[in-house]
Amino acid sequence: LFTAEERVALARETFQRMEGVVVTPFRGLLVDFVRQQQAGVILRGLRAVSDFEYEFQLAGMNRHLAPDVETLFLTPAEQYGYLSSSLVREIASLNGSVDAFVEKNVQQALEEKFRQ
């Protein structure tokens, strides 16, 4: 729905007051970006068991490409396990309220996108 530039701008606005958080776009392989940033860990989220197989395949491929880079999986708090960008987008497209799921700037951007 949003261009890469729009997503970066929304993320930067959202996290501007969080110390130590930097939003950095990149192109190419994630493992190459991780190495360029001199990091050694990729954090990935698992909402449900259905996410695990795909994420496990990604982690395996990343380990093959960069054995020195670890992948850690995080699970959400129970109340967010069902949440996905697809669901939020669909609710917003039907003029539903998404304020419980996204920051105010993202809610406003969604409303503007679907007004067009």
Side-chain angles (χ1 to χ4, degrees), residues 2-3 14-15 17 24 26 35 38 43 46 83-84 89 96 100:
F2 296 106
T3 66
T14 297
F15 295 111
R17 291 182 184 85
T24 308
F26 70 96
R35 285 179 169 155
Q38 298 179 331
L43 294 176
L46 295 175
L83 194 57
S84 73
R89 190 171 44 246

Side-chain angles (χ1 to χ4, degrees), residues 1-2 11 13 22-23 30-32 34-37 43-45 58 60-61 67 71 74 93 103 107 110 114 116:
L1 181 64
F2 296 106
E13 184 180 346
V22 178
V23 177
L30 176 59
V31 292
D32 291 340
V34 169
R35 285 179 169 155
Q36 288 168 1
Q37 298 300 305
L43 294 176
R44 301 286 297 183
L58 279 179
M61 185 55 73
T71 299
L74 301 175
S93 74
E103 294 294 321
Q107 179 185 356
L110 284 166
F114 288 118
Q116 296 175 2

Side-chain angles (χ1 to χ4, degrees), residues 51-94:
D51 293 341
F52 182 76
E53 186 175 350
Y54 175 71
E55 292 293 340
F56 189 76
Q57 288 176 328
L58 279 179
M61 185 55 73
N62 286 336
R63 174 163 286 166
H64 176 78
L65 295 171
D68 56 317
V69 175
E70 292 292 331
T71 299
L72 298 178
F73 297 106
L74 301 175
T75 58
E78 210 172 274
Q79 69 265 29
Y80 299 116
Y82 62 89
L83 194 57
S84 73
S85 61
S86 298
L87 288 174
V88 170
R89 190 171 44 246
E90 184 172 355
I91 292 167
S93 74
L94 298 170

